[in-house]
Amino acid sequence: MQIDISALPAVRGTLTPHRALSDLTWLRVGGPADVLFQPADVDDLSEFLHALPADVPVFPMGVGSNLIVRDGGIRAIVIRMGRGFNSISIDGEHVTAGAAALDAHVARRAADAGLDLSFLRTIPGAVGGAVRMNAGCYGCYTADFFVYAQAVTRAGTLITLTADDLNFRYRQTDLPEGAVIVSATFAPPAGEPEALHARMEEQLRKRDETQPTKDRSAGSTFRNPAGFSSTGAADDVHDLKAWKVIDDAGLRGATRGGAQMSPKHPNFLINTGTATAADLEGLGEEVRKKVYDSSGITLEWEIMRVGEFER
């Protein structure tokens, strides 16, 4: 369906028709959204969704750090939150952050207060995405420190979601369809600020040594194979990583158009400067097929792919 911007509810934020999304994603690819909505605050978001006809699709978008928007764009109202949703507050043992607060900023602010959310420091994204995808690294997951989140439903109602509601799993949650996370509250353990900051600096150093942090990427392309690592299961072992099966299949540095599997870390899909979304997704699918052919392992995408293929 074609969305008529003149028929949409009035907002205090910004509604932009046919807004290109390529400059809003870390991979710098993708076609336009039918409409981009940048709400002013929670009330603006709630009132808009409440008044929006139920048959108009919406797509909540974070900072685009784990996303391929296909070249044909997204036939929906894309909701992207900014300054009205990036606050960070600390109350005793709890840290509350808006959905648009960057993970790295939350980690630093928490450390200043002697609270340990240091695992967030190297995760490229914002809090809303961290909750939705149960982001994690260094053996820690968002679910480990999660208390509750607030979200606005597709009907415009502000609700509180507990861990039971979200049913956290490896890179997955049961967020209600069309719901938009607006904030989350965490209860991290205590730590010495100086030691926490030192640990984060060391994590950054190691990341820069092993990952293509200067290239356009969206973080890890594929999940580590289930049953081998990073699933969070009690009986999980850590003897096989996605990068290793990609490397063993001879795909380190593999290219398609302007897309490449990073020579530095072959589980990072990068835009060398001229890639289309089709190049990136096509190379990813080629990698999945060749890894399966060589090892019998089916890699699962960690990067979300959304929108329509270009016709």
Side-chain angles (χ1 to χ4, degrees):
M1 64 180 289
Q2 188 69 30
I3 298 174
D4 179 4
I5 192 169
S6 66
L8 295 177
V11 300
R12 288 179 288 109
T14 305
L15 289 168
T16 309
H18 312 299
R19 172 63 159 85
L21 298 175
S22 55
D23 64 327
L24 299 180
T25 71
W26 286 32
L27 280 165
R28 293 293 189 265
V29 296
D34 281 355
V35 178
L36 179 70
F37 174 38
Q38 297 165 283
D41 51 33
V42 173
D43 288 342
D44 193 30
L45 173 63
S46 180
E47 290 162 10
F48 177 81
L49 289 176
H50 178 72
L52 189 69
D55 63 342
V56 178
V58 300
F59 175 73
M61 177 179 171
V63 296
S65 61
N66 191 42
L67 186 68
I68 292 174
V69 176
R70 294 182 176 122
D71 299 307
I74 300 178
R75 304 287 75 77
I77 295 176
V78 173
I79 299 171
R80 192 172 194 266
M81 293 171 289
R83 289 184 180 175
F85 298 86
N86 65 358
S87 63
I88 303 169
S89 63
I90 297 173
D91 181 12
E93 298 176 350
H94 291 127
V95 177
T96 298
L102 295 178
D103 297 331
H105 292 176
V106 176
R108 290 199 300 261
R109 283 285 301 278
D112 290 343
L115 296 172
D116 185 1
L117 287 175
S118 57
F119 82 100
L120 286 174
R121 180 63 182 89
T122 60
I123 294 177
V127 163
V131 171
R132 185 182 179 202
M133 297 296 290
N134 191 19
C137 62
Y138 304 114
C140 294
Y141 293 85
T142 301
D144 297 337
F145 312 102
F146 179 84
V147 181
Y148 64 85
Q150 289 200 302
V152 176
T153 68
R154 179 61 182 78
T157 304
L158 183 66
I159 60 172
T160 299
L161 297 168
T162 66
D164 287 342
D165 294 325
L166 289 173
N167 185 25
F168 285 104
R169 302 180 300 288
Y170 178 65
R171 300 295 186 263
Q172 286 181 290
T173 54
D174 292 338
L175 184 68
E177 184 69 28
V180 183
I181 295 169
V182 295
S183 68
T185 297
F186 306 97
E192 289 294 327
E194 189 174 328
L196 294 174
H197 281 289
R199 182 194 305 165
M200 291 190 292
E201 287 302 311
E202 177 64 12
Q203 290 170 352
L204 287 172
R205 186 187 65 76
K206 287 183 178 178
R207 182 192 66 175
D208 290 343
E209 284 179 357
T210 59
Q211 298 176 9
T213 54
K214 302 294 190 291
D215 294 321
R216 292 178 183 172
S217 82
S220 296
T221 305
F222 301 107
R223 301 176 185 178
N224 288 318
F228 295 100
S229 60
S230 297
T231 62
D235 60 350
D236 216 356
V237 294
H238 293 258
D239 56 5
L240 194 59
K241 301 282 190 182
W243 75 263
K244 183 68 166 61
V245 296
I246 294 169
D247 206 19
D248 288 348
L251 295 165
R252 182 188 291 263
T255 61
R256 178 171 179 152
Q260 183 181 40
M261 302 310 295
S262 169
K264 187 172 187 177
H265 191 309
N267 193 29
F268 278 68
L269 181 61
I270 61 175
N271 179 355
T272 62
T274 60
T276 63
D279 290 339
L280 292 160
E281 189 170 7
L283 178 57
E285 287 299 325
E286 184 180 326
V287 166
R288 293 181 74 233
K289 180 181 185 304
K290 290 184 176 178
V291 165
Y292 181 79
D293 289 346
S294 68
S295 67
I297 291 172
T298 299
L299 290 174
E300 294 184 33
W301 282 92
E302 188 159 319
I303 297 173
M304 183 183 296
R305 291 100 53 231
V306 297
E308 297 188 347
F309 296 102
E310 193 168 46
R311 294 173 183 174

